[in-house]
Amino acid sequence: MLWIIIKYAITAGMVVLISEVAKRSDRLGGLLAALPLVTVLVLVWMKLEGQTQEKIANHAWYTFWYVVPTLPMFIAFPFLYQRFGFWLTLAICCVMTILLFAVWAVILRRFGIELM
């Protein structure tokens, strides 16, 4: 139980740290948010919890493929935000990402990579 509390505290701390840095510096906040810090933490947690090499490697492999369809959101968000406000833009970007993920999964399936 203590281990789970430590994992929550460190992981949540990273999110809070990034959001606090972003308040002061758009560029530095963006840089920290773009770094795969959560993925690195997950890989460390998996290793410390005794997961197999194959399981850890698969996590990194699939994370790469899942990140790709999320990238267009970061381009669309600033443009949509000016027109539609925060909440509608966030909703549009979430729907767009889900649709792009579905299309991406179909494309990758043709190359033997099963995401779903």
Side-chain angles (χ1 to χ4, degrees):
M1 181 65 159
L2 178 60
W3 178 242
I4 290 177
I5 293 170
I6 291 169
K7 284 172 43 176
Y8 276 128
I10 292 172
T11 305
M14 293 300 300
V15 173
V16 171
L17 173 68
I18 292 168
S19 69
E20 290 300 312
V21 169
K23 287 181 189 177
R24 290 160 182 75
S25 171
D26 297 334
R27 288 186 179 107
L28 186 56
L31 172 64
L32 290 175
L35 295 174
L37 298 173
V38 172
T39 300
V40 168
L41 282 175
V42 169
L43 295 173
V44 169
W45 300 149
M46 291 174 76
K47 177 65 177 171
L48 293 176
E49 292 169 354
Q51 295 293 324
T52 65
Q53 182 178 1
E54 180 183 10
K55 185 87 167 164
I56 295 169
N58 281 340
H59 179 78
W61 168 260
Y62 286 110
T63 298
F64 170 80
W65 294 112
Y66 289 133
V67 164
V68 173
T70 69
L71 297 177
M73 181 199 80
F74 297 106
I75 295 171
F77 191 92
F79 297 106
L80 296 173
Y81 190 24
Q82 294 173 359
R83 294 193 175 132
F84 301 113
F86 180 79
W87 296 109
L88 184 54
T89 295
L90 191 59
I92 291 168
C93 285
C94 288
V95 169
M96 178 182 74
T97 300
I98 291 167
L99 294 173
L100 287 172
F101 175 77
V103 170
W104 186 239
V106 169
I107 291 168
L108 289 181
R109 188 175 300 134
R110 293 181 178 177
F111 295 97
I113 299 171
E114 291 288 333
L115 294 182
M116 297 193 291

